[in-house]
Amino acid sequence: MPFFAYRGRNARGELVRGVLENSDSGAVADQLLTTGVSPIELTPTAGPQALAGEGWLRRLGAESVTLEDMLLFSRQMYTLLKSGVPILRSLAALQESATRSGFAKMLQDLRESLDSGRDLSTAMRRHPKVFDPFYLSMVRVGELTGALEEIFLRLFNHLDFEREIKNQVRQALRYPIFVIVVMAVAVVIVNIFVIPAFARIFAGFKAELPLMTRVLLGFSDFMVQYWPALLGVTAGAYVLFRIWVGTPAGRYSWDRMRLRVPVAGKIVLKATLARFARSLSIALKSGVPIVQALSVVEQVVDNTYVGQRIDQIRGGVERGESLLRTSVTTGVFTPVVLQMISVGEETGQLDDLLREVAEMYQREVEYELKTLSTQIEPILIVLLGVLVLMLALGVFLPMWDLGQAALAGGNR
């Protein structure tokens, strides 16, 4: 069916606009009138994104909504709806208090969509970069069950959990990343500025230099002569990596490799499984059928490899197999988790036990992150020691040989 852009006034006399899909302009006018909007202008348009007077820059800015904005939105929507405030008035209150223009524009678009007759979940679908499939599915369930305020509270808790995990990972990686960056900068400075100074000294020895010294001098000379090419190769490799990760096969391979990285891989896996268990628990608790819940959770675990394992579970459940049996075949769950899933299926309390699984994984992630620096420090110390040893041998061996030669000549 064709789309029509409209302008009209609602029952409060406010100017509203949007895009509706229907058979003809008359059907669109009837649809607007039934929702309390008096149409002023109806124009055929290409699709729901083609709002009059809204360029691509404006639409791009409207999607710049942060996780903090979503936490505030979810919590305040719960509070306002719990207090009996209608959805439109709640959105208007949030828009008035919004401090970020992108967040305010998104709320304005939600209000206009609701004024035009859409439900909240449909209005949110116009902002796919803001509301992920899990959020949309939960809101839709809340609309169907009449428990929208409780859904917003659960979404707030879910987003707060996501933020906490990300902050913990970021904080734990700060120290090792800083050390590695400092070591890389030191290597560049030594090879470009320090070793060339020693090279001029060694050139006056008129003697064969040790192998380690020749290697260091050769590598330093290479960096000095070809540093623009090295920068270009590094930038090109980064671009190619981003393109490769952007492909389905590349993303799958990269996500799989991330889980096998020493020390960090097990933390990424546990954090991903904690996100899976909590998301599935919230969905089941809210009344989402398990097959639909697995389909939604598959898209929010932020790991394609684990997502395919979840899709494997969903396929088994669709065929009539138990959740436990299909979970065993994936090979990503620990025996303790599988036991809890088994008990949850037998007792009918799968959502509660999945929440306990998520909490267990979260505690393990927190412990691993607290000890991450301790686990990485020996590796960093070994790397630093190897670097210092190579520099010491390369720089001081020729001087040692020269001193030995001078002493031998003096004794004769």
Side-chain angles (χ1 to χ4, degrees):
M1 289 191 293
F3 291 93
F4 293 87
Y6 69 86
R7 289 195 307 119
R9 295 194 179 275
N10 59 20
R12 296 187 298 275
E14 299 172 338
L15 183 66
V16 295
R17 60 192 180 91
V19 176
L20 288 176
E21 183 182 13
N22 219 318
S23 57
D24 53 41
S25 59
V28 172
D30 292 339
Q31 182 178 351
L32 290 172
L33 289 171
T34 57
T35 59
V37 176
S38 301
I40 298 175
E41 180 183 4
L42 296 174
T43 307
T45 187
Q49 296 295 329
L51 296 179
E54 185 169 314
W56 69 271
L57 283 174
R58 182 179 174 185
R59 292 198 301 272
L60 183 63
E63 298 293 349
S64 57
V65 178
T66 65
L67 178 59
E68 299 296 331
D69 292 329
M70 292 304 300
L71 279 165
L72 178 67
F73 172 78
S74 303
R75 183 66 190 186
Q76 291 189 341
M77 284 296 291
Y78 162 72
T79 303
L80 292 169
L81 293 177
K82 189 73 173 179
S83 303
V85 181
I87 292 181
L88 277 173
R89 285 183 57 190
S90 300
L91 292 174
L94 291 178
Q95 183 182 350
E96 291 175 2
S97 62
T99 57
R100 293 171 55 87
S101 60
F103 186 43
K105 290 177 182 178
M106 185 270 291
L107 293 174
Q108 175 65 26
D109 186 72
L110 292 182
R111 290 179 60 198
E112 292 174 355
S113 297
L114 290 175
D115 269 333
S116 67
R118 296 187 180 96
D119 51 33
L120 184 59
S121 59
T122 303
M124 288 177 172
R125 291 184 192 278
R126 293 164 51 85
H127 302 272
K129 295 182 180 179
V130 178
F131 302 102
D132 58 36
F134 180 75
Y135 203 104
L136 293 171
S137 297
M138 293 294 293
V139 171
R140 183 59 179 165
V141 169
E143 289 176 326
L144 295 176
T145 60
L148 193 56
E149 66 277 1
E150 294 298 328
I151 292 296
F152 276 117
L153 179 60
R154 292 172 186 171
L155 286 170
F156 168 79
N157 293 329
H158 171 72
L159 292 174
D160 189 50
F161 166 79
E162 293 282 321
R163 180 183 63 173
E164 187 67 22
I165 288 291
K166 289 179 180 178
N167 288 342
Q168 289 175 355
V169 171
R170 192 178 298 116
Q171 185 175 7
L173 294 178
R174 189 175 301 156
Y175 168 72
I177 289 176
F178 174 76
V179 173
I180 292 173
V181 169
V182 169
M183 289 175 60
V185 171
V187 168
V188 172
I189 292 175
V190 167
N191 279 281
I192 292 180
F193 298 103
V194 178
I195 293 182
F198 280 100
R200 290 189 291 271
I201 298 174
F202 296 154
F205 287 179
K206 306 299 183 182
E208 184 179 357
L209 297 174
L211 174 62
M212 183 60 68
T213 305
R214 295 199 302 271
V215 170
L216 287 178
L217 292 178
F219 184 69
S220 174
D221 184 63
F222 178 78
M223 287 192 67
V224 171
Q225 295 294 328
Y226 299 102
W227 66 266
L230 289 174
L231 286 178
V233 169
T234 303
Y238 176 76
V239 171
L240 290 175
F241 172 76
R242 299 297 299 178
I243 294 174
W244 176 67
V245 172
T247 64
R251 187 69 194 182
Y252 177 86
S253 300
W254 171 242
D255 285 342
R256 187 176 184 180
M257 284 189 291
R258 285 169 56 198
L259 301 179
R260 298 180 177 181
V261 175
V263 181
K266 60 181 179 180
I267 300 178
V268 173
L269 177 60
K270 289 177 180 178
T272 303
L273 293 180
R275 185 180 295 114
F276 157 74
R278 182 173 290 270
S279 301
L280 185 57
S281 172
I282 292 174
L284 294 177
K285 191 80 171 178
S286 303
V288 181
I290 187 169
V291 173
Q292 181 184 347
L294 288 169
S295 298
V296 173
V297 170
E298 174 191 347
Q299 303 176 53
V300 299
V301 293
D302 197 27
N303 188 289
T304 307
Y305 176 76
V306 176
Q308 288 205 5
R309 308 276 83 71
I310 297 173
D311 182 65
Q312 180 181 334
I313 295 174
R314 182 189 58 79
V317 172
E318 280 186 328
R319 293 191 300 269
E321 299 177 11
S322 67
L323 182 63
L324 173 64
R325 181 176 179 181
T326 53
S327 299
V328 170
T329 60
T330 62
V332 295
F333 295 102
T334 62
V336 174
V337 174
L338 295 174
Q339 181 63 32
M340 296 182 77
I341 291 176
S342 175
V343 173
E345 284 190 308
E346 292 176 2
T347 60
Q349 297 179 339
L350 185 59
D351 51 352
D352 293 330
L353 288 173
L354 282 172
R355 187 184 69 251
E356 293 185 15
V357 169
E359 292 172 353
M360 181 190 70
Y361 272 133
Q362 184 177 3
R363 288 192 296 269
E364 291 186 8
V365 169
E366 291 174 353
Y367 174 78
E368 294 285 354
L369 290 174
K370 288 178 181 177
T371 60
L372 180 61
S373 297
T374 306
Q375 299 179 57
I376 292 180
E377 274 179 2
I379 301 175
L380 296 178
I381 291 173
V382 170
L383 291 176
L384 185 60
V386 170
L387 177 62
V388 171
L389 179 63
M390 291 176 61
L391 291 174
L393 291 176
V395 171
F396 293 114
L397 272 180
M399 295 182 178
W400 174 262
D401 292 343
L402 180 62
Q404 291 291 95
L407 288 175
N411 292 333
R412 288 196 297 268

